[in-house]
Amino acid sequence: MGRDIAVFNAGSSSIRFAIFDRALAGADPAPRWRGRVEGVGHRRHFVVSDAAGSPAVEESTGDHAREFDHAEALERIIAWLDASGAAAGLGGIGHRVVHGGRRFTAPVVIAPDILEELDALAHLAVLHQPHNLRTIRALAARLPGLIQVACFDTSFHLSQPPLARLIALPAEWRERGLERYGFHGLSYEHVAGALPARLGAAAAGRVIVAHLGNGASLCALFAGASVATTMGFSTLEGLAMGTRCGSLDPGVLLHLLREGLTLAQLEDLLYHRSGLLGISGTSHDMRELLASADARAALAVEFFVYRIAREIGSLAAALGGLDALVFTAGIGEHAPAIRARVIESCRWLDLELDEAANGRGGPRLTTPGSRVSAWVIPTDEELTIARHTVRLLAGS
């Protein structure tokens, strides 16, 4: 058996992967390669970089190329694994799986019966869970014999108090699993682990982490543990996202059903045609929206920031105050204009933006006199998955 670990993170519009050296006992797995296929459902962009970040492969399809799907994206990654020889050195594979439900509260070695249970949760994470599980099955067929590990986004939020997980429905529905689970947990787990090195003593206090990407949520941490988050029963709740609506009045759903939408049409509307894409009418990509002169694009950006600022206020209330705000993920790490607008919207919390620091990408974004500090801390879900995978392989 090889000593390397492959990690797969199949998202709604991309597949990220990495190859890690299992490393010595007690040391972090060391990255050998990192790669991604972006633009799934649109035009493919495939990149693989070495441990130093230097591109080894970079290819894009033309503007008029046909759309491609997750299966084709995965085939391109597997072809690279075979051609590069990386597949031959693997000793195990770790996966991000978005929803673990009530049963899967920690990473597990995958078996057929577990896959069946995870299939039953797919309707709660429509943009992710089917792709997560399809990737697992495809790799089991192409690389049989390798142990595969599932790491769950929902696990990190088990520290939340029962009140934060409650949905105001009759008990019979709660007993059938209707509660607030929370997501992006692997990202929050990584950031929580990185807080002490950046924040010092404040890491043990009241921190809100903003995971802002095509999927977006906020998480309130106290002493590094989740106490509240904006996503709940499904990945629809909370902030407006690339194509997802975020929170809305349930009466809107009843109205749409009365207007004649089928369940499938309603699901497609809420997951695929809403959010930034729905408001702008043109794009779900924040880079394109920020560069656009279209008033609808500007409105989409304004609403995105407005919802973030409102939810920061909500989570600050849940924490009883705020010591630090952290930005992470694609938009959070790479969109200074969005960070600036969010911080300016939260001046009432005694956040004072350092414009030069924000333009540089931080890591600290606020002035020395700002009572609440703001930071950029890059997330690394793949490293978090690799750590869990190594631990489970050692015990298998």
Side-chain angles (χ1 to χ4, degrees), residues 7-353:
V7 169
F8 283 82
N9 184 344
S12 56
S13 61
S14 67
I15 301 178
R16 296 200 303 272
F17 69 98
I19 308 296
F20 290 87
D21 186 318
R22 197 178 306 191
L24 301 173
D28 251 349
R32 293 187 186 275
W33 303 97
R34 290 182 184 267
R36 65 190 184 277
V37 181
E38 298 175 322
V40 175
H42 301 283
R43 296 182 294 274
R44 186 183 75 198
H45 182 63
F46 177 55
V47 178
V48 182
S49 301
D50 62 20
S54 300
V57 177
E58 186 163 7
E59 39 182 72
S60 296
T61 55
D63 287 344
H64 302 291
R66 69 175 181 84
E67 295 181 359
F68 74 109
D69 58 21
H70 279 79
E72 291 173 290
L74 182 59
E75 280 300 314
R76 181 64 190 94
I77 295 170
I78 292 173
W80 178 83
L81 290 173
D82 288 337
S84 67
L90 295 180
I93 305 173
H95 296 269
R96 176 194 180 198
V97 176
V98 167
H99 214 305
R102 283 181 166 176
R103 178 186 168 192
F104 298 106
T105 59
V108 295
V109 173
I110 297 166
D113 61 322
I114 288 175
L115 275 178
E116 289 180 10
E117 291 188 55
L118 295 176
D119 273 327
L121 298 170
H123 66 288
L124 303 182
V126 171
L127 295 184
H128 299 84
Q129 195 96 341
H131 304 312
N132 302 154
L133 303 183
R134 192 175 297 117
T135 300
I136 291 168
R137 290 188 167 103
L139 289 168
R142 296 292 291 271
L143 300 169
L146 282 182
I147 293 174
Q148 298 197 73
V149 171
C151 302
F152 303 101
D153 264 329
T154 46
S155 299
F156 182 74
H157 300 292
L158 293 171
S159 57
Q160 291 185 11
L163 199 62
R165 300 176 66 86
L166 185 64
I167 294 176
L169 290 173
E172 63 193 81
W173 290 102
R174 296 198 298 274
E175 290 165 4
R176 293 170 65 175
L178 269 70
E179 63 181 65
R180 302 188 76 254
Y181 292 94
F183 300 93
H184 290 137
L186 293 166
S187 175
Y188 292 130
E189 180 181 349
H190 178 83
V191 172
L195 289 178
R198 290 294 188 193
L199 276 62
R206 302 161 299 183
V207 178
I208 293 174
V209 182
H211 176 107
L212 306 179
N214 189 53
S217 68
L218 306 177
C219 184
L221 304 178
F222 183 74
S226 174
V227 298
T229 189
T230 56
M231 279 184 175
F233 175 68
S234 76
T235 59
L236 282 175
E237 191 182 5
L239 307 178
M241 295 168 249
T243 63
R244 282 170 270 175
C245 59
S247 294
L248 79 169
D249 182 344
V252 172
L253 307 182
L254 298 177
H255 174 77
L256 292 171
L257 290 171
R258 290 192 183 103
E259 286 292 301
L261 265 67
T262 66
L263 185 60
Q265 289 171 332
L266 181 60
E267 185 174 79
D268 178 62
L269 173 66
L270 301 180
Y271 277 101
H272 298 285
R273 297 193 288 117
S274 299
L276 299 179
L277 175 63
I279 296 172
S280 70
T282 56
S283 178
H284 69 279
D285 190 315
M286 182 58 71
R287 293 166 294 191
E288 295 178 4
L289 296 174
L290 286 171
S292 174
D294 191 308
R296 295 177 303 168
L299 180 62
V301 174
E302 185 178 4
F303 186 75
F304 184 70
V305 171
Y306 168 74
R307 289 293 302 148
I308 293 169
R310 270 189 57 169
E311 292 293 349
I312 286 173
S314 169
L315 294 185
L319 287 166
L322 186 63
D323 299 309
L325 172 65
V326 175
F327 294 90
T328 196
I331 297 171
E333 294 172 30
H334 302 296
I338 297 298
R339 295 194 301 260
R341 292 170 69 166
V342 170
I343 291 172
E344 288 296 332
S345 297
C346 295
R347 288 181 68 90
W348 65 277
L349 284 167
D350 291 332
L351 279 152
E352 185 175 334
L353 177 68

